[in-house]
Coordinates of all heavy atoms in Angstrom, one line a residue:
T29 N -9.1 -9.2 -2.7 CA -8.2 -8.5 -3.6 C -8.5 -8.9 -5.0 O -8.6 -10.1 -5.4 CB -6.7 -8.9 -3.3 OG1 -6.6 -8.6 -2.0 CG2 -5.8 -8.2 -4.3
R30 N -8.6 -8.1 -5.9 CA -8.8 -8.4 -7.4 C -7.5 -8.0 -8.1 O -6.8 -7.2 -7.6 CB -9.9 -7.6 -7.9 CG -11.3 -7.8 -7.4 CD -12.4 -7.1 -8.0 NE -12.3 -5.7 -7.5 CZ -13.0 -4.8 -7.8 NH1 -13.9 -5.0 -8.8 NH2 -12.9 -3.5 -7.4
F31 N -7.3 -8.7 -9.2 CA -6.1 -8.6 -10.0 C -6.5 -7.8 -11.2 O -7.5 -8.0 -11.8 CB -5.6 -9.9 -10.5 CG -5.0 -10.7 -9.3 CD1 -5.8 -11.6 -8.6 CD2 -3.7 -10.5 -8.9 CE1 -5.4 -12.3 -7.5 CE2 -3.3 -11.3 -7.8 CZ -4.1 -12.1 -7.1
M32 N -5.6 -6.8 -11.7 CA -5.8 -6.1 -12.8 C -4.5 -6.0 -13.7 O -3.5 -5.5 -13.0 CB -6.3 -4.6 -12.3 CG -6.7 -3.7 -13.5 SD -7.3 -2.1 -12.7 CE -5.7 -1.4 -12.5
A33 N -4.5 -6.3 -14.8 CA -3.3 -6.2 -15.6 C -3.0 -4.7 -15.9 O -3.9 -3.9 -16.2 CB -3.5 -7.0 -16.9
S34 N -1.7 -4.4 -16.0 CA -1.3 -3.0 -16.4 C -1.4 -2.9 -17.9 O -1.5 -3.9 -18.6 CB 0.0 -2.8 -16.0 OG 1.0 -3.6 -16.6
R35 N -1.1 -1.8 -18.3 CA -1.3 -1.4 -19.8 C 0.0 -1.8 -20.6 O 0.9 -1.0 -20.9 CB -1.5 0.1 -19.9 CG -2.7 0.5 -19.3 CD -3.1 1.9 -19.5 NE -4.2 2.4 -18.7 CZ -4.4 3.5 -18.2 NH1 -3.6 4.5 -18.6 NH2 -5.5 3.7 -17.6
G36 N 0.0 -3.2 -20.9 CA 1.1 -3.6 -21.7 C 2.5 -3.7 -21.1 O 3.4 -4.0 -21.7
L37 N 2.6 -3.4 -19.8 CA 3.9 -3.5 -19.2 C 4.2 -4.9 -18.7 O 5.3 -5.1 -18.1 CB 4.1 -2.4 -18.1 CG 3.9 -1.0 -18.6 CD1 3.9 0.0 -17.4 CD2 5.0 -0.6 -19.6
G38 N 3.3 -5.7 -18.6 CA 3.4 -7.0 -18.1 C 3.4 -7.2 -16.5 O 3.7 -8.3 -15.9
D39 N 3.3 -6.1 -15.9 CA 3.1 -6.0 -14.3 C 1.7 -6.5 -14.1 O 0.8 -6.1 -14.8 CB 3.4 -4.8 -13.9 CG 4.9 -4.3 -14.1 OD1 5.7 -5.1 -14.1 OD2 5.1 -3.0 -14.3
V40 N 1.5 -7.0 -12.8 CA 0.2 -7.3 -12.3 C 0.0 -6.4 -11.2 O 0.7 -6.5 -10.2 CB 0.1 -8.8 -12.0 CG1 -1.2 -9.1 -11.3 CG2 0.3 -9.8 -13.2
Y41 N -1.1 -5.7 -11.3 CA -1.5 -4.8 -10.3 C -2.6 -5.5 -9.4 O -3.5 -6.3 -10.0 CB -2.1 -3.5 -10.8 CG -1.1 -2.6 -11.3 CD1 -0.4 -2.7 -12.6 CD2 -0.6 -1.6 -10.5 CE1 0.4 -1.8 -13.1 CE2 0.4 -0.6 -10.9 CZ 0.9 -0.8 -12.3 OH 1.9 0.0 -12.7
K42 N -2.7 -5.1 -8.1 CA -3.7 -5.6 -7.3 C -4.4 -4.5 -6.8 O -3.9 -3.6 -6.2 CB -3.1 -6.5 -6.2 CG -2.4 -7.7 -6.6 CD -1.8 -8.5 -5.4 CE -1.1 -9.7 -5.8 NZ -0.7 -10.6 -4.7
R43 N -5.7 -4.7 -6.9 CA -6.7 -3.6 -6.3 C -7.0 -4.1 -5.0 O -7.4 -4.9 -4.5 CB -7.9 -3.4 -7.2 CG -7.6 -2.8 -8.5 CD -8.9 -2.3 -9.2 NE -9.5 -1.3 -8.6 CZ -9.1 0.1 -8.7 NH1 -7.9 0.4 -9.3 NH2 -9.8 0.9 -8.1
Q44 N -6.5 -3.1 -4.1 CA -6.7 -3.4 -2.6 C -7.5 -2.3 -1.9 O -7.2 -1.2 -2.1 CB -5.3 -3.4 -2.0 CG -5.3 -3.8 -0.5 CD -5.8 -5.2 -0.2 OE1 -5.3 -6.2 -0.8 NE2 -6.8 -5.3 0.6
E45 N -8.5 -2.8 -1.3 CA -9.4 -1.9 -0.5 C -8.9 -1.6 0.9 O -8.5 -2.5 1.5 CB -10.8 -2.3 -0.5 CG -11.7 -1.4 0.0 CD -13.2 -1.8 0.2 OE1 -13.5 -3.0 -0.3 OE2 -14.1 -1.1 0.6
F46 N -8.9 -0.3 1.3 CA -8.6 0.0 2.7 C -9.8 0.7 3.1 O -10.2 1.8 2.6 CB -7.4 1.1 2.6 CG -6.1 0.5 2.5 CD1 -5.6 -0.1 1.2 CD2 -5.2 0.4 3.6 CE1 -4.4 -0.7 1.3 CE2 -3.9 -0.2 3.5 CZ -3.5 -0.8 2.3
K47 N -10.5 0.1 4.2 CA -11.6 0.8 4.8 C -11.5 0.6 6.2 O -11.5 -0.6 6.7 CB -12.8 0.1 4.2 CG -14.1 0.8 4.7 CD -15.3 0.2 4.0 CE -16.6 1.0 4.4 NZ -17.7 0.6 3.7
G48 N -11.5 1.7 6.9 CA -11.4 1.6 8.4 C -9.9 1.2 8.8 O -9.9 0.5 10.0
V49 N -8.9 1.3 8.0 CA -7.5 1.0 8.4 C -7.1 2.1 9.1 O -6.9 3.3 8.6 CB -6.8 0.7 7.1 CG1 -5.3 0.3 7.5 CG2 -7.3 -0.5 6.5
G50 N -6.9 2.0 10.4 CA -6.4 3.1 11.3 C -4.9 3.2 11.6 O -4.4 4.2 11.9
T51 N -4.3 2.2 11.3 CA -2.8 2.2 11.8 C -1.9 1.6 10.6 O -2.3 0.9 9.7 CB -2.5 1.2 13.0 OG1 -2.8 -0.1 12.7 CG2 -3.4 1.8 14.2
A52 N -0.7 2.1 10.7 CA 0.2 1.6 9.6 C 0.5 0.0 9.8 O 0.7 -0.8 8.8 CB 1.6 2.3 9.7
S53 N 0.4 -0.4 11.0 CA 0.4 -2.0 11.3 C -0.6 -2.7 10.7 O -0.4 -3.8 9.9 CB 0.5 -2.1 12.8 OG 0.5 -3.6 13.1
E54 N -1.8 -2.2 10.6 CA -2.9 -2.9 9.9 C -2.7 -2.7 8.5 O -2.9 -3.8 7.6 CB -4.3 -2.1 10.4 CG -4.7 -2.3 11.7 CD -6.0 -1.5 12.1 OE1 -6.2 -0.4 11.5 OE2 -6.7 -1.9 13.0
A55 N -2.2 -1.6 8.0 CA -1.9 -1.6 6.5 C -0.9 -2.5 6.1 O -1.0 -3.1 5.1 CB -1.5 -0.2 6.2
A56 N 0.1 -2.6 7.0 CA 1.2 -3.6 6.6 C 0.7 -5.1 6.6 O 1.1 -5.8 5.7 CB 2.3 -3.4 7.7
D57 N -0.3 -5.4 7.6 CA -0.8 -6.6 7.5 C -1.6 -6.9 6.2 O -1.5 -8.1 5.6 CB -1.8 -6.8 8.8 CG -1.1 -7.1 10.0 OD1 0.2 -7.5 10.0 OD2 -1.6 -6.8 11.0
I58 N -2.5 -6.1 5.8 CA -3.1 -6.2 4.5 C -2.2 -6.3 3.4 O -2.4 -7.2 2.5 CB -4.2 -4.9 4.5 CG1 -5.2 -5.0 5.4 CG2 -4.8 -4.9 3.0 CD1 -6.0 -3.7 5.6
L59 N -1.4 -5.3 3.2 CA -0.4 -5.5 2.0 C 0.5 -6.7 2.1 O 0.8 -7.3 1.0 CB 0.5 -4.2 2.1 CG -0.2 -2.9 1.8 CD1 0.7 -1.7 2.2 CD2 -0.7 -2.8 0.5
Y60 N 0.9 -7.2 3.2 CA 1.6 -8.5 3.3 C 0.8 -9.5 2.9 O 1.2 -10.4 2.1 CB 2.2 -8.7 4.6 CG 2.9 -9.9 4.9 CD1 4.2 -10.0 4.4 CD2 2.4 -11.2 5.3 CE1 5.0 -11.1 4.6 CE2 3.1 -12.3 5.5 CZ 4.3 -12.2 5.2 OH 5.1 -13.4 5.2
S61 N -0.4 -9.8 3.3 CA -1.4 -10.8 3.0 C -1.8 -10.8 1.4 O -2.0 -11.8 0.8 CB -2.7 -10.6 3.7 OG -2.5 -10.9 5.2
A62 N -1.7 -9.6 1.0 CA -2.0 -9.5 -0.5 C -0.8 -9.7 -1.4 O -1.0 -9.7 -2.7 CB -2.6 -8.1 -0.8
G63 N 0.3 -9.8 -0.8 CA 1.5 -10.1 -1.5 C 2.2 -8.9 -2.2 O 3.0 -9.0 -3.1
I64 N 1.8 -7.6 -1.7 CA 2.4 -6.4 -2.2 C 3.7 -6.1 -1.5 O 4.7 -5.7 -2.2 CB 1.5 -5.3 -1.8 CG1 0.0 -5.6 -2.4 CG2 1.9 -4.0 -2.4 CD1 0.0 -5.5 -4.0
I65 N 3.9 -6.4 -0.2 CA 5.2 -6.3 0.4 C 5.6 -7.5 1.0 O 4.9 -8.4 1.3 CB 5.1 -5.2 1.6 CG1 4.1 -5.6 2.6 CG2 4.7 -3.9 1.1 CD1 4.1 -4.8 3.9
E66 N 6.9 -7.6 1.3 CA 7.5 -8.8 1.8 C 7.8 -8.8 3.2 O 8.2 -9.8 3.9 CB 8.7 -9.2 1.0 CG 8.3 -9.7 -0.5 CD 9.6 -10.0 -1.3 OE1 10.8 -10.1 -0.7 OE2 9.4 -10.3 -2.5
D67 N 8.1 -7.5 3.7 CA 8.4 -7.4 5.1 C 7.6 -6.4 5.9 O 7.6 -5.2 5.7 CB 9.8 -6.9 5.1 CG 10.5 -6.7 6.5 OD1 9.8 -6.6 7.5 OD2 11.7 -6.9 6.6
K68 N 6.7 -6.9 6.7 CA 5.6 -6.0 7.4 C 6.5 -4.9 8.4 O 6.0 -3.8 8.4 CB 4.7 -6.9 8.3 CG 3.7 -7.6 7.4 CD 2.6 -8.2 8.3 CE 3.2 -9.4 9.1 NZ 2.0 -10.1 9.8
L69 N 7.4 -5.4 9.1 CA 8.1 -4.7 10.1 C 8.8 -3.4 9.3 O 8.8 -2.2 9.7 CB 9.0 -5.3 10.9 CG 9.8 -4.5 11.9 CD1 8.9 -3.8 12.8 CD2 10.8 -5.4 12.7
A70 N 9.4 -3.8 8.3 CA 10.2 -2.8 7.4 C 9.2 -1.7 6.8 O 9.5 -0.5 7.0 CB 11.0 -3.4 6.3
F71 N 8.0 -2.2 6.4 CA 7.0 -1.2 5.8 C 6.4 -0.3 7.0 O 6.4 0.9 6.8 CB 5.9 -1.9 5.2 CG 4.8 -1.1 4.5 CD1 5.2 -0.2 3.5 CD2 3.9 -0.8 5.2 CE1 4.3 0.6 2.8 CE2 2.8 0.1 4.7 CZ 2.9 0.8 3.5
Y72 N 6.1 -0.9 8.1 CA 5.6 -0.2 9.2 C 6.6 0.9 9.7 O 6.2 2.0 10.0 CB 5.3 -1.2 10.3 CG 5.0 -0.3 11.7 CD1 3.8 0.2 11.9 CD2 5.9 -0.2 12.6 CE1 3.4 0.9 13.1 CE2 5.8 0.3 13.8 CZ 4.5 1.1 13.9 OH 4.3 1.8 15.1
T73 N 7.9 0.5 9.8 CA 8.8 1.4 10.2 C 9.1 2.5 9.3 O 9.2 3.8 9.7 CB 10.3 0.7 10.3 OG1 10.0 -0.4 11.4 CG2 11.3 1.6 10.9
Y74 N 9.0 2.3 8.0 CA 9.2 3.3 7.0 C 7.9 4.3 7.0 O 8.0 5.5 7.1 CB 9.1 2.8 5.5 CG 9.0 3.8 4.5 CD1 10.1 4.6 4.2 CD2 7.8 4.2 4.1 CE1 10.1 5.6 3.3 CE2 7.7 5.3 3.1 CZ 8.9 5.9 2.6 OH 8.8 6.9 1.9
M75 N 6.7 3.8 7.3 CA 5.5 4.6 7.3 C 5.6 5.4 8.6 O 5.3 6.6 8.6 CB 4.2 3.8 7.5 CG 4.0 3.0 6.2 SD 3.3 4.1 5.0 CE 1.6 4.3 5.7
D76 N 6.2 4.8 9.7 CA 6.3 5.7 11.0 C 7.3 6.7 10.9 O 7.0 7.8 11.2 CB 6.6 4.7 12.1 CG 6.5 5.4 13.5 OD1 5.5 6.0 13.7 OD2 7.5 5.0 14.4
I77 N 8.6 6.4 10.6 CA 9.6 7.5 10.5 C 9.4 8.5 9.3 O 10.0 9.6 9.4 CB 11.0 6.9 10.3 CG1 11.2 6.2 9.1 CG2 11.2 5.9 11.4 CD1 12.5 5.6 8.8
S78 N 8.5 8.1 8.3 CA 8.3 9.1 7.3 C 7.2 10.0 7.5 O 6.8 10.8 6.6 CB 8.1 8.3 6.0 OG 9.3 7.6 5.7
G79 N 6.3 9.8 8.5 CA 5.2 10.5 9.0 C 4.0 10.2 8.2 O 2.9 10.9 8.3
Y80 N 3.9 9.0 7.5 CA 2.8 8.6 6.7 C 1.8 7.8 7.6 O 0.6 7.7 7.1 CB 3.2 7.7 5.4 CG 3.8 8.5 4.3 CD1 5.2 8.2 4.1 CD2 3.1 9.4 3.6 CE1 5.7 8.9 2.9 CE2 3.6 9.9 2.4 CZ 5.0 9.7 2.3 OH 5.5 10.4 1.2
A81 N 2.3 7.3 8.6 CA 1.6 6.3 9.5 C 0.1 7.0 9.9 O -0.8 6.1 10.1 CB 2.3 6.0 10.7
V82 N 0.0 8.1 10.1 CA -1.2 8.8 10.7 C -2.0 9.4 9.6 O -3.1 9.9 9.8 CB -1.0 9.9 11.7 CG1 -0.3 9.3 12.9 CG2 0.0 11.1 11.0
R83 N -1.7 9.1 8.2 CA -2.5 9.7 7.3 C -3.2 8.7 6.2 O -3.5 9.0 5.2 CB -1.4 10.7 6.5 CG -0.9 11.7 7.3 CD -0.1 12.7 6.7 NE 0.4 12.6 5.3 CZ 1.6 12.9 4.7 NH1 2.4 13.4 5.5 NH2 1.8 12.7 3.5
I84 N -3.3 7.5 6.7 CA -3.8 6.5 5.8 C -5.3 6.9 5.5 O -6.0 7.0 6.5 CB -3.7 5.0 6.4 CG1 -2.2 4.7 6.6 CG2 -4.3 4.1 5.6 CD1 -1.8 3.5 7.5
R85 N -5.7 6.7 4.2 CA -7.1 7.0 3.9 C -7.8 5.8 3.3 O -7.3 5.0 2.7 CB -7.1 8.2 2.9 CG -6.6 9.4 3.4 CD -6.6 10.5 2.3 NE -5.9 11.8 2.9 CZ -6.4 12.9 2.9 NH1 -7.5 13.0 2.2 NH2 -5.8 13.9 3.4
D86 N -9.1 5.8 3.6 CA -10.0 4.8 3.1 C -9.9 4.9 1.6 O -9.9 6.1 1.0 CB -11.4 4.9 3.5 CG -11.6 4.5 5.0 OD1 -10.6 3.9 5.5 OD2 -12.6 4.7 5.5
G87 N -10.1 3.8 0.8 CA -10.1 3.9 -0.7 C -9.8 2.6 -1.3 O -9.4 1.6 -0.6
E88 N -9.8 2.5 -2.6 CA -9.4 1.2 -3.3 C -8.2 1.7 -4.1 O -8.3 2.6 -5.0 CB -10.6 0.7 -4.1 CG -10.2 -0.7 -4.7 CD -11.5 -1.2 -5.2 OE1 -12.5 -1.1 -4.8 OE2 -11.4 -1.8 -6.3
Y89 N -7.1 1.1 -4.0 CA -5.9 1.4 -4.7 C -5.2 0.2 -5.5 O -5.4 -0.8 -5.1 CB -4.8 1.8 -3.6 CG -5.3 2.9 -2.7 CD1 -5.6 2.5 -1.3 CD2 -5.5 4.2 -3.0 CE1 -6.1 3.6 -0.4 CE2 -6.0 5.1 -2.3 CZ -6.3 4.8 -0.9 OH -6.8 5.7 0.0
S90 N -4.7 0.8 -6.5 CA -4.0 -0.2 -7.4 C -2.5 -0.2 -7.1 O -1.7 0.7 -7.2 CB -4.1 0.2 -9.0 OG -5.4 0.0 -9.4
L91 N -2.0 -1.5 -6.7 CA -0.6 -1.5 -6.1 C 0.0 -2.8 -6.8 O -0.8 -3.7 -7.1 CB -0.5 -1.5 -4.7 CG -1.1 -0.4 -3.9 CD1 -1.3 -0.7 -2.4 CD2 -0.2 0.8 -4.0
K92 N 1.2 -2.8 -6.9 CA 1.8 -4.2 -7.4 C 3.0 -4.5 -6.5 O 3.7 -3.7 -5.9 CB 2.1 -4.0 -8.8 CG 3.4 -3.1 -9.1 CD 3.6 -3.1 -10.6 CE 4.8 -2.4 -11.0 NZ 5.1 -1.1 -10.6
P93 N 3.3 -5.8 -6.5 CA 4.5 -6.3 -5.7 C 5.7 -5.6 -6.3 O 5.8 -5.5 -7.6 CB 4.5 -7.8 -6.1 CG 3.0 -8.0 -6.3 CD 2.4 -7.0 -6.9
G94 N 6.6 -5.1 -5.5 CA 7.8 -4.5 -6.0 C 7.7 -3.0 -6.1 O 8.7 -2.3 -6.1
D95 N 6.4 -2.3 -5.9 CA 6.4 -0.9 -5.6 C 7.2 -0.5 -4.5 O 7.4 -1.2 -3.4 CB 4.9 -0.5 -5.4 CG 4.0 -0.4 -6.8 OD1 4.6 -0.4 -7.8 OD2 2.8 -0.4 -6.6
S96 N 7.9 0.7 -4.6 CA 8.7 1.1 -3.4 C 7.7 1.4 -2.3 O 6.5 1.8 -2.5 CB 9.4 2.3 -3.9 OG 8.5 3.4 -4.1
Y97 N 8.3 1.5 -1.0 CA 7.5 1.8 0.1 C 7.0 3.4 -0.1 O 5.9 3.5 0.3 CB 8.3 1.7 1.3 CG 8.6 0.2 1.8 CD1 9.6 0.0 2.7 CD2 7.8 -0.8 1.3 CE1 9.9 -1.3 3.2 CE2 8.1 -2.0 1.7 CZ 9.1 -2.3 2.6 OH 9.5 -3.5 3.0
E98 N 7.8 4.2 -0.7 CA 7.3 5.5 -0.9 C 6.2 5.6 -1.8 O 5.2 6.2 -1.6 CB 8.5 6.3 -1.5 CG 8.0 7.9 -1.7 CD 9.1 8.7 -2.3 OE1 10.2 8.2 -2.6 OE2 8.9 9.9 -2.4
T99 N 6.1 4.8 -2.8 CA 5.0 4.8 -3.7 C 3.7 4.3 -3.1 O 2.6 4.9 -3.2 CB 5.4 3.9 -5.0 OG1 6.5 4.5 -5.7 CG2 4.1 3.7 -5.9
I100 N 4.0 3.1 -2.4 CA 2.7 2.7 -1.7 C 2.3 3.7 -0.6 O 1.0 3.9 -0.6 CB 3.2 1.3 -1.1 CG1 3.5 0.2 -2.0 CG2 1.9 0.8 -0.1 CD1 4.2 -1.0 -1.5
A101 N 3.2 4.2 0.2 CA 2.7 5.3 1.2 C 2.1 6.4 0.6 O 1.1 6.8 1.1 CB 3.9 5.6 2.0
R102 N 2.5 7.0 -0.5 CA 1.9 8.1 -1.2 C 0.6 7.7 -1.7 O -0.4 8.5 -1.7 CB 2.7 8.7 -2.3 CG 4.0 9.4 -1.7 CD 4.7 10.0 -2.8 NE 5.8 10.7 -2.4 CZ 6.4 11.7 -2.8 NH1 5.9 12.2 -4.0 NH2 7.4 12.4 -2.1
T103 N 0.4 6.5 -2.1 CA -0.8 6.0 -2.8 C -2.0 5.9 -1.5 O -3.0 6.3 -1.8 CB -0.6 4.6 -3.5 OG1 0.2 4.9 -4.5 CG2 -2.0 4.1 -4.0
I104 N -1.6 5.2 -0.6 CA -2.6 4.9 0.5 C -2.9 6.2 1.3 O -3.9 6.0 2.2 CB -2.3 3.5 1.3 CG1 -1.0 3.9 2.1 CG2 -2.1 2.4 0.4 CD1 -0.8 2.6 3.1
T105 N -2.1 7.2 1.3 CA -2.3 8.4 2.1 C -2.8 9.5 1.1 O -3.0 10.5 1.6 CB -1.1 8.8 2.9 OG1 -0.1 9.2 1.8 CG2 -0.6 7.8 3.8
Q106 N -2.8 9.2 -0.2 CA -3.2 10.1 -1.2 C -2.4 11.4 -1.1 O -2.9 12.5 -1.1 CB -4.7 10.4 -1.2 CG -5.4 9.0 -1.5 CD -7.0 9.3 -1.2 OE1 -7.5 10.4 -0.9 NE2 -7.7 8.2 -1.5
S107 N -1.0 11.2 -1.0 CA -0.1 12.4 -0.9 C 0.5 12.5 -2.1 O 0.9 11.6 -3.0 CB 0.9 12.0 0.1 OG 0.2 11.9 1.4
D108 N 0.8 13.8 -2.5 CA 1.7 14.0 -3.7 C 3.2 14.3 -3.4 O 3.5 14.5 -2.2 CB 1.2 15.3 -4.3 CG -0.3 15.2 -4.8 OD1 -0.5 14.1 -5.4 OD2 -1.1 16.1 -4.9

């Protein structure tokens, strides 16, 4: 995980690579280890009940601790 400063907002973004991540549980493990989320089970549950769990896409994403689960889910699934 690489760190990247935001544009003057004082937030610290982490660039996290997702490659071959097939499940929301794997995504939760990665995000937890990177310090993006604090609760793996809550994130996994959100991904599952919201329908994002099956749409995770490979890529490198900029995320920060405190991002909402919705923001993270939309980012890692590339959903609008």
Side-chain angles (χ1 to χ4, degrees):
T29 305
R30 292 181 291 177
F31 294 88
M32 185 177 83
S34 67
R35 297 181 187 154
L37 299 176
D39 296 325
V40 174
Y41 285 82
K42 296 183 178 185
R43 292 196 60 82
Q44 184 63 54
E45 183 177 7
F46 280 74
K47 187 171 184 177
V49 176
T51 67
S53 179
E54 291 172 330
D57 287 340
I58 290 168
L59 294 167
Y60 180 81
S61 294
I64 303 294
I65 62 170
E66 295 181 0
D67 188 330
K68 292 190 285 188
L69 181 59
F71 180 75
Y72 168 78
T73 302
Y74 175 82
M75 292 288 286
D76 190 43
I77 63 173
S78 301
Y80 289 111
V82 296
R83 300 180 357 211
I84 299 167
R85 297 183 183 225
D86 287 350
E88 191 171 319
Y89 305 110
S90 293
L91 302 164
K92 71 178 185 313
D95 278 347
S96 69
Y97 289 165
E98 180 180 6
T99 297
I100 295 169
R102 286 182 176 210
T103 299
I104 67 174
T105 61
Q106 301 176 2
S107 300
D108 292 326

